[in-house]
């Protein structure tokens, strides 16, 4: 039994165009074979890595359709005997793709995603170490049943909580609400935390492609006419603090919530949307009374992923509210 490795590009797979071109910038073009060849100590893993190159793109180019396809390929690999899965991709959208994969992944085998902050042409690239750590986690029995995981900088993060919190540091990934749930040292994987798992959601690719979820982040002195939900099936609001918006937004969002599920989240990056503390117009109690769904501890981007998957799977408003409450 081996670990199935899928590659999707990103900084971990970037190399130069050539010295004369673009002043030495890098683009995603390395294959899985290139990536594994750069990892010292891979033989110590004890199981083979079976590579499938999918595409080599910056992660801004990834899509829900690509991740759905990736989960299907990874499922096939597991059914064919892989003990776990590693995916390499760009770090920019990793917090969203990992959460999407987590919602769809139906197996106990670990689904581990990783990337790099320093490309292979730089001094001290972190890709090889991250790939090795991710492979150890994918092969670790103690990582089974935890869904999709993100491994960088020797830390194991649950897809549900992980966020990219720095644009450039090799310590960019953190789980502000929960902390890492494990570590990898000397090739040993320690898991000290669990993560609540939902039943995998089954979703059809065509339905997912057609489902649109909008997002508005409120800002100081915001104007409710900036809320644009045209063509949307659902909407996420990234509110201030514990879930607040300017009073002028309250009737607009309340009216929108009569037409589609509207999920209220916090733009702060950690902590919950409260349920029963503040009473002003535009507060969490006012918005819930107007029909907005409390997004709980999910940040706006993850809430948007969950809402799109739920709506594409045919969930009605009550089912959406129940999923966000869980
Ligand atoms: N821009 C890159 C990407 O997400 C950054 C990275 O891989 O770290 O593809």
């Amino acid at each position: 039994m081996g670990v199935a490795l899928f590659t999707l590009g990103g900084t971990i797979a970037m190399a130069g165009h050539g010295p004369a071109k673009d002043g030495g910038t890098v683009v995603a073009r390395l294959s899985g074979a290139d990536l594994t060849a750069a990892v010292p100590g891979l033989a110590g893993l004890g199981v083979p890595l079976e590579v499938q190159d999918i595409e080599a793109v910056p992660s801004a180019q990834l899509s829900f359709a690509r991740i759905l396809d990736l989960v299907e390929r990874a499922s096939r690999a597991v059914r064919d005997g892989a003990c776990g899965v590693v995916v390499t991709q760009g770090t920019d959208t990793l917090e969203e793709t990992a959460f999407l994969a987590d919602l769809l992944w139906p197996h106990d085998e670990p689904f581990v995603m990783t990337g790099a902050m320093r490309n292979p042409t730089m001094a001290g690239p972190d890709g090889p170490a991250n790939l090795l750590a991710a492979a150890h986690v994918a092969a670790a029995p103690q990582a089974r049943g935890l869904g999709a995981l993100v491994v960088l900088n020797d830390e194991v993060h649950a897809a549900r909580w992980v966020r990219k919190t720095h644009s450039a540091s090799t310590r960019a990934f953190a789980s502000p609400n929960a902390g890492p749930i494990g570590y990898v040292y000397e090739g040993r994987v320690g898991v000290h935390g669990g993560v609540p798992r939902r039943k995998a959601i089954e979703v059809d690719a065509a339905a997912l492609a057609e489902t649109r979820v909008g997002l508005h982040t409120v800002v100081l002195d915001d104007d409710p006419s900036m809320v644009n939900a045209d063509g949307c099936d659902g909407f996420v609001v990234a509110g201030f603090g514990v879930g607040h918006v300017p009073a002028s937004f309250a009737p607009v969002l309340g009216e929108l919530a009569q037409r589609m599920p509207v999920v209220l989240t916090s733009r702060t990056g950690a902590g919950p949307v409260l349920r029963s503390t503040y009473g002003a117009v535009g507060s969490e109690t006012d918005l819930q009374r107007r029909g907005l769904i409390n997004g709980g501890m999910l940040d706006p981007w993850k809430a948007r992923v969950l809402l799109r998957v739920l709506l594409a799977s045919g969930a009605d408003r009550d089912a959406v509210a129940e999923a966000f409450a869980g």
Side-chain angles (χ1 to χ4, degrees):
M1 281 208 311
V3 167
L5 169 64
F6 297 90
T7 70
L8 293 172
T11 291
I12 192 169
M14 291 202 184
H17 286 266
K21 253 183 141 183
D22 291 340
T25 58
V26 291
V27 293
R29 67 179 178 79
L30 300 180
S31 67
D34 297 325
L35 299 190
T36 54
V39 182
L42 203 53
L45 186 63
V47 295
L49 274 183
E50 286 144 22
V51 182
Q52 283 186 46
D53 291 313
I54 298 181
E55 61 178 342
V57 292
S59 71
Q61 293 299 115
L62 295 174
S63 63
F64 279 55
R66 168 57 74 212
I67 301 305
L68 192 62
D69 165 71
L70 168 72
V71 166
E72 274 164 21
R73 290 179 196 233
S75 281
R76 225 174 294 138
V78 162
R79 284 197 297 272
D80 290 345
C83 64
V85 172
V86 172
V87 179
T88 58
Q89 70 152 82
T91 58
D92 289 349
T93 58
L94 188 49
E95 64 202 270
E96 289 166 82
T97 57
F99 185 53
L100 174 57
D102 189 55
L103 296 175
L104 306 174
W105 186 242
H107 307 284
D108 281 340
E109 283 77 1
F111 187 104
V112 186
M113 304 184 80
T114 192
M117 297 299 295
R118 291 192 188 151
N119 73 66
T121 70
M122 297 172 81
D126 52 332
N130 289 340
L131 178 53
L132 182 59
H136 277 293
V137 175
Q142 57 274 38
R144 287 176 64 90
L146 297 174
L149 300 168
V150 170
V151 174
L152 279 100
N153 201 32
D154 295 332
E155 293 181 346
V156 182
H157 293 270
R160 181 185 179 121
W161 303 125
V162 73
R163 300 191 57 221
K164 185 173 183 179
T165 60
H166 196 286
S167 62
S169 168
T170 52
R171 245 192 125 194
F173 283 80
S175 298
N177 282 321
I181 62 167
Y183 296 93
V184 187
Y185 290 123
E186 297 179 322
R188 283 176 290 114
V189 177
V191 174
H192 58 251
V195 57
R197 291 281 293 139
R198 309 165 190 269
K199 193 173 170 298
I201 303 172
E202 281 185 34
V203 67
D204 171 70
L208 196 55
E210 278 167 16
T211 305
R212 295 190 62 197
V213 173
L215 170 65
H216 182 90
T217 304
V218 293
V219 292
L220 181 68
D221 203 14
D222 208 350
D223 176 349
S225 71
M226 301 286 280
V227 172
N228 181 3
D230 290 351
C232 289
D233 306 290
F235 204 79
V236 173
V237 179
F240 300 121
V242 292
H244 295 174
V245 298
S248 57
F249 274 62
V252 173
L253 295 177
E255 188 272 325
L256 190 61
Q258 303 313 306
R259 292 192 277 128
M260 65 184 74
V262 180
V263 176
L264 178 63
T265 64
S266 170
R267 68 175 205 171
T268 57
V273 169
L274 290 183
R275 293 177 189 279
S276 56
T277 297
Y278 293 92
V281 175
S283 68
E284 81 284 1
T285 61
D286 178 47
L287 295 173
Q288 288 169 145
R289 212 174 303 117
R290 294 174 192 264
L292 274 72
I293 294 165
N294 189 307
M297 301 285 275
L298 287 184
D299 67 41
W301 305 281
K302 290 193 200 284
R304 187 181 156 273
V305 170
L306 177 57
L307 183 55
R308 184 165 167 191
V309 171
L310 288 169
L311 293 175
S313 72
D316 60 15
R317 194 196 171 284
D318 287 350
V320 169
E322 198 182 316
F324 275 94

